[in-house]
Amino acid sequence: MEETSREAVATAVQRVAGMLQRSDQLDKVEQYRRREARKKASVEARLKAAIQSQLDGVRTGLTQLHSALLDVKDIQGSLADVSKDWRQSINTIENLKDVKDAVVQHSQLASAVENLKNIFSVPEIVADTQQLIEQGELLQAHRKLMELECSRDDLMYEQYRMDSKNTSDMSLISIYFEDVQGLSDELAKQLWMILQRSMLTVRRDPTMLVSSVRIIEREEKIDRRMVDRKKQTGFIPPGRPKRWKDKMFQVLEGTVGTRIEGTQSVTKEADKMWLVRLLEITRKYVLDDLIVVKNLMVQCFPQHYNTFFGLYHNAVSSRVKELASEDLEANEIVSLLTWVLNTYKSVEMMGHPELFSEYDINQLEPLLPQDVVDDLLSKYVKTFTSNITGWLRKALETDKKDWQKETEPEADQDGYYQTTLPAIVFQMFEQNLQVAAQIDIDFKEQVLKLCLKQMNTFLIRYREEAVTYKEEHMRDRQMPQCYVQYMIAIINNCQTFKESINSLKRKYLQSSEPTDSDASVQLIYKMQHHLNELLTRKWLTGSHAVDTICVTVEDYFNDFNKIKKPFNQEMTGEALRRVVVEYIKAVMQKRITFKNADERREGAERMIKEADQFKFLFRKLAAGEDTDRLCGAIAAIAEVFKLTDPTLLFLEVTTLVSKYPDIREEHIQALLAVRGDASREMRQMIIGTLSENKVSYSGVTQPIFKDITVPTMTMTTMTSMATAKLLK
């Protein structure tokens, strides 16, 4: 307590010191004192209120404890009185044992008297019940059966109450009523027969089906009552619970399963279309049955018994799983998956308008688990890949045989040569893609990608076979007789392949990818001799090499006028480019060096004239928009040669480089060497200046000079030139 007081004083001193740190605060001492007094009064009031509340709570608790103590004493006295009365009544209870036995005996005798008439008439009732069952009067037969069972069960129950260990009397009752169990079994047999033929019964005599369901419902109630009595007394009659409701569903399930399994009319060995027929028959039977269920059957059963749609769904699922486990071929896998994933929930079956109100089709479980579907799809893809590889190989072999024919290939409606290979290949692709589209959109795209992958491999082999075909012809130009025509057909086939691939992509993948074409080199091979004459002394003095080249090109493309337009234009453009490149190569090879201005002028004019010849020819052949630029390269080089003032040579070369940025230093050096009048200093100045102000190549247009190499002077050539000078 003293320590608390000291802490309080120390805190107060510290607080006062904080308030009076400055001299001007001494004037407010009285104000601070009043404020602290108010705070103290407030705190004391709160403390008093809290203490008063605690005291009130303690007072209330003490009052309740006192009241509880009085109640406990009263209860203790009552328990003592009860104990005293119980001890006094023990003898009285033992004296009432005889009364209890008399009550039990009276109850048994009363039950016996009540069932005496039935007991003596059991044989007669059994005979009547048997006759009613045979006549199909099942409701009346069941009523009499319940009377017999009730008499038996009551007698057994009273015997059980009197002496549960007396098995001999129980056996005597069981023997006397032994025919009752037989009647029950016979009635059950009739019920199961009616349920097995329920689809037929509900059309002919629905009352028979209703009676059967009512009997089962009655037995279900009796089962529940007997089970409840067993919980209370431990006694349950023989044969209970019958569980006829469970048996009914088992019978219906078996009936539906037998109905589904019985749809297979043909075997796999007897008919290749066995699965298609089986699935169609199953669809028809299930749809017809469910329409009958919806219109007739549901009226014969309580609403909580209405599980027919689930029974049919489960039966179909089991059957489909059995089919999926068999060794199915590719077309059979497609048929099964199409039926399972599409037909089953379509309006042709479970989605039929007449069935729509009975259940939610989206709540149905899948007929096949996803892993089974994936396995089937994987198996189909594997088989399809193997099959398509074989089909493409056979198609190519057949087409190769046609290449050796002595008759021209067929032409399409536009007169272009072609073979049947593209039509066969893409008809095969189209059929398989249509089949895949029936299964699933994702699977359709998967099959399309597989087709494109196989097509890529096929085209590589097709190209190899075409190259082999060309090489064989080059060894013997007389064979095959229609080589050119079939080579044109092969080229046209490539265009057809390209168009067909893009068509498939647009149709099934909504995308397309362009393909490249290969340029032919046979034209250059034929003109090589005439190309070798260009930019030589013979050419300068009057050669007809370019005239011959133009005639050869025009004649060559007349032979190939059966090639379809896209390939024809590509071939023409490639031919122009190769001719121009070969012409410029002739310049770069420095086959001639002009000796004077007249030769330079004459050579330049000849080059410009020949460039115009090429331009006219290839415009006629529709080589494309690049004709002027390619032919203009020859004319631009000619302007470098034609220039008479060497001081302006740098400007002319700069113009050439600006038009064709892919030109290199060695090309400029070769041009200046052919010109023949450029000094070493001038050549070094031009090359040096161009190197400092090099124009970058953007790559927008196809380069011309990129693939043109300038031959270097070898040691042998230098030795030969030196020897020639010495001999002179």
Side-chain angles (χ1 to χ4, degrees):
M1 190 68 178
E2 293 178 358
E3 185 179 353
T4 304
S5 299
R6 285 196 300 272
E7 290 180 357
V9 170
T11 303
V13 170
Q14 186 178 2
R15 184 175 179 82
V16 169
M19 292 179 181
L20 302 176
Q21 291 181 352
R22 299 190 306 274
S23 59
D24 60 336
Q25 291 178 329
L26 294 175
D27 298 336
K28 299 179 181 180
V29 168
E30 185 62 26
Q31 181 180 349
Y32 291 155
R33 186 185 65 77
R34 288 196 299 271
R35 185 176 65 185
E36 294 300 321
R38 285 196 300 272
K39 287 183 179 179
K40 179 181 178 182
S42 175
V43 170
E44 288 177 349
R46 288 200 298 272
L47 286 173
K48 288 179 181 179
I51 292 172
Q52 185 63 38
S53 176
Q54 292 292 330
L55 291 174
D56 292 342
V58 170
R59 186 181 298 109
T60 302
L62 290 174
T63 303
Q64 291 176 349
L65 287 173
H66 181 70
S67 176
L69 179 61
L70 295 176
D71 292 340
V72 168
K73 289 180 178 179
D74 291 340
I75 293 171
Q76 189 175 12
S78 299
L79 288 174
D81 294 339
V82 170
S83 177
K84 181 179 178 181
D85 293 341
W86 176 74
R87 290 190 184 95
Q88 292 176 354
S89 64
I90 290 177
N91 296 329
T92 305
I93 294 173
E94 292 178 352
N95 294 333
L96 292 175
K97 184 176 184 301
D98 295 337
V99 177
K100 178 182 177 183
D101 295 338
V103 170
V104 172
Q105 187 176 8
H106 180 271
S107 176
Q108 292 172 346
L109 292 173
S111 178
V113 170
E114 185 180 349
N115 293 290
L116 191 60
K117 181 181 178 180
N118 291 336
I119 291 173
F120 286 120
S121 61
V122 165
E124 182 183 351
I125 297 175
V126 168
D128 291 343
T129 305
Q130 182 66 42
Q131 186 177 3
L132 289 172
I133 292 174
E134 293 174 355
Q135 293 174 355
E137 301 292 337
L138 301 184
L139 278 177
Q140 297 182 30
H142 186 250
R143 188 176 298 110
K144 289 186 175 293
L145 176 63
M146 286 193 297
E147 292 176 2
L148 291 170
E149 289 180 337
C150 183
S151 298
R152 180 199 63 185
D153 297 346
D154 287 347
L155 287 173
M156 285 188 168
Y157 177 62
E158 295 302 332
Q159 177 61 37
Y160 179 83
R161 289 176 60 189
M162 183 175 67
D163 187 1
S164 60
K165 297 180 180 180
N166 190 346
T167 58
S168 60
D169 290 346
M170 281 287 192
S171 299
L172 183 62
I173 298 173
S174 297
I175 293 172
Y176 187 76
F177 285 92
E178 62 181 353
D179 292 336
V180 175
Q181 186 60 43
L183 290 174
S184 178
D185 295 340
E186 184 64 26
L187 179 61
K189 188 183 297 183
Q190 293 297 319
L191 296 178
W192 311 148
M193 188 179 300
I194 291 170
L195 289 170
Q196 287 171 352
R197 303 163 64 182
S198 56
M199 298 303 298
L200 182 61
T201 304
V202 77
R203 293 185 177 97
R204 295 182 177 179
D205 188 6
T207 57
M208 182 69 73
L209 187 59
V210 173
S211 298
S212 301
V213 175
R214 288 180 60 186
I215 292 171
I216 293 171
E217 188 70 7
R218 286 177 187 173
E219 289 292 338
E220 191 69 15
K221 291 179 181 178
I222 296 173
D223 276 351
R224 289 196 294 269
R225 190 168 65 248
M226 292 298 116
V227 170
D228 291 340
R229 189 168 70 174
K230 181 184 178 182
K231 293 177 181 178
Q232 297 174 0
T233 65
F235 171 78
I236 189 166
R240 292 289 178 185
K242 293 183 179 180
R243 296 188 178 91
W244 279 8
K245 181 180 177 182
D246 295 340
K247 179 64 177 177
M248 178 191 70
F249 286 123
Q250 291 177 8
V251 171
L252 289 175
E253 184 177 357
T255 301
V256 173
T258 303
R259 176 81 165 161
I260 300 300
E261 292 176 0
T263 56
Q264 185 165 348
S265 57
V266 293
T267 61
K268 184 175 182 179
E269 293 74 16
D271 188 355
K272 292 183 178 179
M273 300 295 291
W274 69 278
L275 185 58
V276 175
R277 297 182 189 278
L278 169 61
L279 294 174
E280 177 57 23
I281 294 173
T282 301
R283 183 198 67 80
K284 187 176 184 304
Y285 278 15
V286 171
L287 179 59
D288 292 345
D289 286 0
L290 289 180
I291 290 176
V292 172
V293 168
K294 186 253 183 182
N295 294 329
L296 300 176
M297 191 81 77
V298 294
Q299 302 174 16
C300 301
F301 288 81
Q303 187 173 4
H304 60 281
Y305 279 29
N306 189 12
T307 60
F308 289 97
F309 290 93
L311 292 176
Y312 272 90
H313 178 74
N314 293 336
V316 172
S317 179
S318 298
R319 183 60 177 141
V320 167
K321 289 175 183 176
E322 291 176 3
L323 294 172
S325 64
E326 295 185 14
D327 186 18
L328 299 177
E329 297 179 1
N331 61 321
E332 294 170 346
I333 291 174
V334 170
S335 299
L336 180 61
L337 289 178
T338 302
W339 194 88
V340 167
L341 300 177
N342 299 316
T343 305
Y344 183 70
K345 289 188 178 182
S346 70
V347 294
E348 298 178 354
M349 198 170 176
M350 302 303 281
H352 194 277
E354 288 197 43
L355 307 179
F356 186 75
S357 61
E358 294 301 314
Y359 60 94
D360 185 358
I361 190 173
N362 296 319
Q363 297 299 320
L364 293 175
E365 293 292 329
L367 285 180
L368 286 177
Q370 189 59 43
D371 58 336
V372 177
V373 174
D374 293 341
D375 289 343
L376 288 174
L377 291 176
S378 177
K379 182 178 179 182
Y380 173 82
V381 169
K382 183 177 180 181
T383 305
F384 172 69
T385 303
S386 176
N387 289 344
I388 201 171
T389 302
W391 293 335
L392 292 173
R393 183 174 59 253
K394 291 179 181 178
L396 181 55
E397 292 299 325
T398 302
D399 202 58
K400 283 170 56 181
K401 292 179 181 179
D402 292 343
W403 298 352
Q404 307 298 327
K405 289 182 178 179
E406 296 182 357
T407 57
E408 293 184 354
E410 297 179 357
D412 62 10
Q413 65 273 16
D414 297 322
Y416 297 116
Y417 288 136
Q418 64 178 8
T419 67
T420 58
L421 181 62
I424 293 173
V425 170
F426 283 95
Q427 182 180 8
M428 178 185 5
F429 285 169
E430 182 72 28
Q431 290 174 352
N432 283 278
L433 285 168
Q434 288 177 359
V435 168
Q438 297 174 7
I439 298 177
D440 183 70
I441 295 177
D442 294 335
F443 183 64
K444 173 195 68 178
E445 294 191 358
Q446 181 182 353
V447 172
L448 174 59
K449 291 176 181 177
L450 179 61
C451 290
L452 296 178
K453 182 179 179 181
Q454 291 293 323
M455 192 64 202
N456 185 52
T457 304
F458 171 77
L459 289 176
I460 293 173
R461 188 178 176 199
Y462 190 60
R463 181 179 182 278
E464 292 173 351
E465 295 294 344
V467 171
T468 303
Y469 182 59
K470 180 201 73 172
E471 292 173 350
E472 291 176 353
H473 175 70
M474 290 301 178
R475 287 193 291 269
D476 184 0
R477 299 258 180 153
Q478 303 301 319
M479 296 298 294
Q481 186 174 344
C482 296
Y483 165 78
V484 174
Q485 290 82 352
Y486 276 100
M487 185 59 75
I488 292 172
I490 291 171
I491 297 172
N492 288 339
N493 286 349
C494 292
Q495 175 63 20
T496 305
F497 283 138
K498 174 182 177 181
E499 294 172 353
S500 300
I501 289 173
N502 291 336
S503 175
L504 289 180
K505 289 181 179 180
R506 285 191 299 270
K507 185 174 181 180
Y508 295 103
L509 196 61
Q510 287 76 46
S511 65
S512 60
E513 298 176 0
T515 57
D516 296 329
S517 62
D518 294 329
S520 173
V521 297
Q522 295 187 28
L523 178 62
I524 302 300
Y525 178 80
K526 288 186 176 182
M527 300 185 303
Q528 194 63 50
H529 174 70
H530 304 290
L531 291 171
N532 290 337
E533 290 186 8
L534 296 176
L535 272 294
T536 61
R537 284 290 166 185
K538 181 179 180 181
W539 166 80
L540 185 62
T541 56
S543 170
H544 299 287
V546 171
D547 297 334
T548 305
I549 290 171
C550 290
V551 171
T552 303
V553 170
E554 187 170 8
D555 182 62
Y556 184 84
F557 280 96
N558 286 334
D559 290 340
F560 284 88
N561 62 354
K562 297 295 185 180
I563 296 178
K564 293 182 179 180
K565 186 175 181 180
F567 276 120
N568 196 321
Q569 188 170 358
E570 287 181 15
M571 286 183 60
T572 307
E574 182 64 17
L576 168 61
R577 183 178 180 282
R578 285 185 173 268
V579 167
V580 170
V581 168
E582 291 296 328
Y583 195 103
I584 297 175
K585 278 183 180 179
V587 176
M588 299 303 169
Q589 288 174 358
K590 296 175 284 189
R591 299 174 182 174
I592 186 175
T593 300
F594 297 122
K595 298 179 179 179
N596 50 51
D598 291 338
E599 284 191 358
R600 285 192 289 275
R601 177 183 53 77
E602 184 179 350
E605 290 176 352
R606 191 173 188 85
M607 290 176 67
I608 294 172
K609 176 185 175 184
E610 290 172 348
D612 291 338
Q613 282 184 265
F614 290 144
K615 188 184 300 183
F616 175 79
L617 171 64
F618 284 100
R619 279 181 177 175
K620 179 180 176 182
L621 297 176
E625 300 177 355
D626 218 24
T627 303
D628 290 348
R629 190 181 70 87
L630 289 169
C631 295
I634 299 175
I637 293 173
E639 292 298 331
V640 174
F641 295 155
K642 188 178 181 180
L643 187 67
T644 56
D645 187 356
T647 60
L648 300 177
L649 191 57
F650 171 74
L651 294 176
E652 198 65 45
V653 172
T654 303
T655 302
L656 175 64
V657 172
S658 64
K659 289 182 179 179
Y660 303 95
D662 60 314
I663 196 168
R664 301 189 298 274
E665 290 182 9
E666 57 265 30
H667 296 141
I668 303 298
Q669 291 177 345
L671 293 181
L672 296 177
V674 172
R675 180 177 169 85
D677 65 340
S679 63
R680 180 186 298 271
E681 292 76 10
M682 182 177 291
R683 288 199 300 270
Q684 290 177 349
M685 183 273 294
I686 293 174
I687 296 299
T689 306
L690 290 175
S691 298
E692 293 175 0
N693 302 280
K694 190 172 184 180
V695 180
S696 61
Y697 175 59
S698 63
V700 176
T701 58
Q702 190 175 12
I704 300 175
F705 293 89
K706 180 180 178 181
D707 299 327
I708 299 176
T709 57
V710 178
T712 57
M713 185 175 294
T714 63
M715 184 61 67
T716 304
T717 306
M718 293 173 62
T719 304
S720 300
M721 292 175 62
T723 304
K725 288 183 178 181
L726 288 172
L727 290 174
K728 288 182 180 180

